Amino acid sequence: MIDYQDLIAGLHQLGAQQSTLKQSSLTRWAEQLPEQIAEQLSLQRWGDLPQWQQSLAQLPALTPSSCDFKNAVRIGQAGDCSEPQRQALRAALMELHPWRKGPYQLFGLDIDTEWRSDWKWQRLLPHIAPLQDRLVLDIGCGNGYHCWRMLGEGAKRVIGIDPSPRFVHQFYALKSFTRKLDPDNLPIEEPPVDVLPLGIEHLPNELKAFDTVFSMGVLYHRRSPIDHLLELKACLKNGGQLVLETLVIEGDEGQVLVPEGRYAKMRNVWYIPSPPTLLSWLRKCGFKAPRLVDVCDTSATEQRSTEWMHFESLPDFLDPDDSTRTLEGHPAPRRAVFIAEC
Ligand SMILES: C[S@@+](CC[C@H](N)C(=O)[O-])C[C@H]1O[C@@H](n2cnc3c(N)ncnc32)[C@H](O)[C@@H]1O
């Protein structure tokens, strides 16, 4: 079972600082969370839940001699565990296949994930407000790769949300090695980073609590992009920063691709705007100083099948005769990072 006690206590504490006069938005959320979590992680919803829980239970007991979340996501060193323990670790983690976001280094085991998520992080990090002491929300965080990197930049607390419970279990498989335990194996200290099994639609209205909100790889999955932007704004404090990463097309203001069928084999892609269009949407939603800070074509070295993700990947989604086009004839994936203040 995943233990959210530390997060809930942390939210109550932050809520008390947020407002002493009336019940704060974070306190309200902390009170709703146990029920929301139980609903989202129920056996009725997810038949595979026992298998994921079993894989967490099978992780060997290991203590890392050091961790690094600033330059990579590395927990422990090869010398912290024996070869049989590393094999047991590998087998338990493979039960949680597919591993899409990463890479991770765990006690000398390299988890070579489908995505080089570290490349996205390197592209955006120079442009964002320093995360030191900030309260950070990562919406659609997958297995939480970037949440660890946000912690590595000194965030006060990081909360990721993602509706996929498999990814949530991947996150807690890693987090289980970062808790400090007392002699009875009870946690006495844990890093202030968590991933909740929730979609953005489960967040309370008007949280207005976070210093930085990330939405990366989510906007094109939403049926109403403007509503998504307004929901992101409602999570931010006055003066807080939005970091938005999404698929874009080349083009002028007003241009947007709404693929009628699939896009790169994905069924749930709704709106892919040009950068000037997205900037105008951000202005329309009341964001201040929206700016485009990075544009990059996705390459088959950044997204590909690996032994940790052996389903199809980018090379299978592109036209074999023209890699600038998807199989359906749309422009191939190009991603951009936007920053704006609230
Ligand atoms: C393309 S991945 C991006 C993961 C990560 N943010 C990154 O940039 O590498 C999109 C993620 O959004 C999540 N997602 C889908 N619907 C969502 C929703 N309604 N609210 C929040 N996240 C959602 C998916 O489960 C998936 O992990």
Side-chain angles (χ1 to χ4, degrees):
M1 282 288 285
I2 298 171
D3 183 353
Y4 285 107
Q5 302 261 2
D6 183 72
L7 168 64
I8 291 172
L11 279 178
H12 274 294
Q13 232 172 40
L14 288 163
Q17 291 160 13
Q18 197 186 18
S19 168
T20 44
L21 300 174
K22 56 181 175 67
Q23 196 190 35
S24 79
S25 60
L26 290 176
T27 308
R28 259 191 297 124
W29 192 28
E31 285 174 358
Q32 289 169 14
L33 268 179
E35 202 178 318
Q36 275 190 322
I37 293 167
E39 212 175 295
Q40 293 308 309
L41 285 185
S42 72
L43 186 57
Q44 287 89 331
R45 284 178 73 94
W46 308 102
D48 285 345
L49 194 62
Q51 183 199 329
W52 301 326
Q53 289 172 338
Q54 179 68 5
S55 107
L56 261 58
Q58 280 171 349
L59 292 169
L62 295 169
T63 306
S65 55
S66 68
C67 295
D68 181 7
F69 304 124
K70 186 160 174 71
N71 304 297
V73 180
R74 181 183 60 72
I75 297 173
Q77 318 246 21
D80 299 340
C81 87
S82 65
E83 199 46 45
Q85 283 176 317
R86 202 162 16 257
Q87 287 312 320
L89 177 64
R90 190 178 190 287
L93 295 175
M94 269 298 180
E95 291 290 314
L96 295 170
H97 176 273
W99 284 78
R100 295 194 180 274
K101 311 299 172 179
Y104 298 101
Q105 295 158 44
L106 213 54
F107 301 101
L109 181 69
D110 286 323
I111 304 181
D112 184 15
T113 50
E114 177 188 17
W115 281 87
R116 290 298 307 257
S117 310
D118 48 337
W119 294 3
K120 184 185 292 191
W121 188 246
Q122 279 156 16
R123 287 197 291 268
L124 67 83
L125 189 60
H127 305 286
I128 67 174
L131 294 179
Q132 189 68 40
D133 290 328
R134 286 169 87 95
L135 181 59
V136 178
L137 178 65
D138 185 4
I139 290 173
C141 66
N143 67 22
Y145 176 83
H146 295 118
C147 296
W148 291 110
R149 301 302 300 265
M150 293 164 196
L151 187 73
E153 290 300 315
K156 175 166 60 183
R157 178 171 282 281
V158 182
I159 303 176
I161 62 167
D162 200 287
S164 161
R166 181 191 300 271
F167 300 154
V168 173
H169 281 79
Q170 289 178 354
F171 173 82
Y172 283 99
L174 267 62
K175 188 173 178 185
S176 69
F177 297 111
T178 64
R179 294 196 167 103
K180 292 203 171 66
L181 302 175
D182 71 9
D184 295 324
N185 263 354
L186 295 170
I188 43 175
E189 196 188 316
E190 50 179 292
V193 55
D194 284 279
V195 173
L196 286 162
L198 307 178
I200 188 168
E201 60 281 10
H202 299 115
L203 292 178
N205 295 333
E206 303 295 315
L207 267 172
K208 293 199 175 305
F210 290 90
D211 299 299
T212 305
V213 169
F214 289 81
S215 163
M216 303 193 285
V218 178
L219 183 113
Y220 51 87
H221 289 315
R222 304 300 292 160
R223 269 187 294 192
S224 167
I226 298 283
D227 285 339
H228 183 62
L229 296 181
L230 292 171
E231 285 160 4
L232 297 174
K233 190 153 173 263
C235 295
L236 281 164
K237 271 181 186 165
N238 267 345
Q241 188 173 75
L242 170 70
V243 183
L244 178 70
E245 192 260 5
T246 191
L247 287 171
V248 292
I249 52 163
E250 242 181 295
D252 298 328
E253 188 172 331
Q255 290 191 283
V256 53
L257 172 68
V258 186
E260 223 178 291
R262 296 187 182 215
Y263 174 88
K265 285 201 178 175
M266 287 184 282
R267 247 188 293 241
N268 56 349
V269 174
W270 295 90
Y271 288 79
I272 308 184
S274 66
T277 302
L278 189 40
L279 287 169
S280 79
W281 291 351
L282 285 162
R283 285 192 297 271
K284 194 174 174 75
C285 292
F287 282 100
K288 295 185 188 126
R291 55 221 181 259
L292 169 70
V293 298
D294 186 77
V295 184
C296 176
D297 291 322
T298 306
S299 74
T301 38
E302 184 165 358
Q303 186 193 7
R304 74 279 187 252
S305 311
T306 68
E307 61 162 334
W308 289 86
M309 202 304 290
H310 43 76
F311 300 147
E312 290 184 327
S313 191
L314 184 65
D316 309 293
F317 307 149
L318 299 179
D319 180 338
D321 300 320
D322 178 4
S323 64
T324 68
R325 296 272 143 197
T326 67
L327 280 177
E328 303 84 7
H330 299 302
R334 161 174 292 196
R335 311 184 74 96
V337 180
F338 300 82
I339 294 182
E341 276 73 36
C342 179

